[in-house]
């Protein structure tokens, strides 16, 4: 008899049965609606493609070059805009760096510059040592 008594619910345990049923019904309704909408879209696409195919075949000598031209124009404008935004971003970053404000990644740039300068000094010293080693010394 103690087995049939209701135990108090603690956090992290199963939700009540009615809550699970509501969740399942909502999921089934949403899933079914989307499935029906997907089927209608597929049917409409097939019907429109069946109707449009003869027109596409008739006009293909005109449409194919036109589509290629429009695609190239769109890609040109998009890439041009992207390069413009990138250039403005870089120029803004450089302005902030030169004017003394600390833009993002400025510390890494300074560290890289110091490493590069150190390596350049090291290579200069090695070249001088190499040069002294092989130059004839007059006595």
């Amino acid at each position: 008899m103690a087995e049939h008594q209701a135990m108090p619910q603690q956090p992290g345990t199963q939700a009540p049965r009615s809550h699970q049923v509501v969740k399942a019904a909502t999921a089934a309704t949403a899933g079914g609606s989307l499935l029906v909408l997907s089927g209608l879209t597929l049917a409409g696409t097939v019907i429109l493609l069946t109707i449009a195919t003869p027109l596409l075949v008739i006009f293909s000598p005109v449409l194919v070059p036109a589509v290629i031209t429009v695609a190239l124009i769109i890609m040109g404008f998009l890439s041009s805009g992207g390069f413009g935004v990138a250039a403005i971003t870089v120029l803004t970053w450089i302005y902030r760096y030169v004017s003394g404000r600390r833009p993002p990644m400025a510390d890494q740039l300074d560290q890289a510059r110091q490493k590069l300068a150190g390596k350049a000094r090291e290579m200069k010293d090695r070249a001088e040592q190499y040069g002294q080693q092989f130059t004839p010394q007059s006595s």
Side-chain angles (χ1 to χ4, degrees):
M1 191 159 285
E3 297 169 359
H4 296 289
Q5 291 179 352
M7 301 216 15
Q9 286 239 336
Q10 296 177 359
T13 59
Q14 280 189 333
R17 182 108 173 117
S18 62
H19 188 65
Q20 289 177 342
V21 170
V22 169
K23 279 174 140 179
T26 304
T29 304
S33 300
L34 290 174
L35 192 60
V36 167
L37 187 60
S38 161
L40 289 174
T41 304
L42 179 64
T45 302
V46 169
I47 291 169
L48 286 176
L49 191 58
T50 304
I51 293 170
T53 299
L55 293 175
L56 289 173
V57 169
I58 291 170
F59 293 112
S60 67
V62 175
L63 291 179
V64 171
V67 167
I68 291 172
T69 304
V70 168
L72 288 174
I73 289 171
I74 289 172
M75 286 190 309
F77 279 124
L78 289 177
S79 62
S80 172
F83 289 138
V85 168
I88 289 171
T89 303
V90 168
L91 289 173
T92 302
W93 190 93
I94 290 171
Y95 174 74
R96 286 182 181 172
Y97 184 78
V98 170
S99 66
R101 298 186 220 151
R102 300 303 289 170
M105 305 292 285
D107 296 332
Q108 286 87 346
L109 179 67
D110 291 338
Q111 289 174 359
R113 185 178 343 133
Q114 289 171 358
K115 276 186 180 179
L116 192 59
K119 289 292 182 184
R121 266 187 253 110
E122 184 181 324
M123 291 305 294
K124 178 185 167 199
D125 294 341
R126 282 187 185 177
E128 285 177 358
Q129 289 174 359
Y130 185 78
Q132 289 174 357
Q133 189 178 25
F134 289 105
T135 53
Q137 296 177 353
S138 56
S139 315

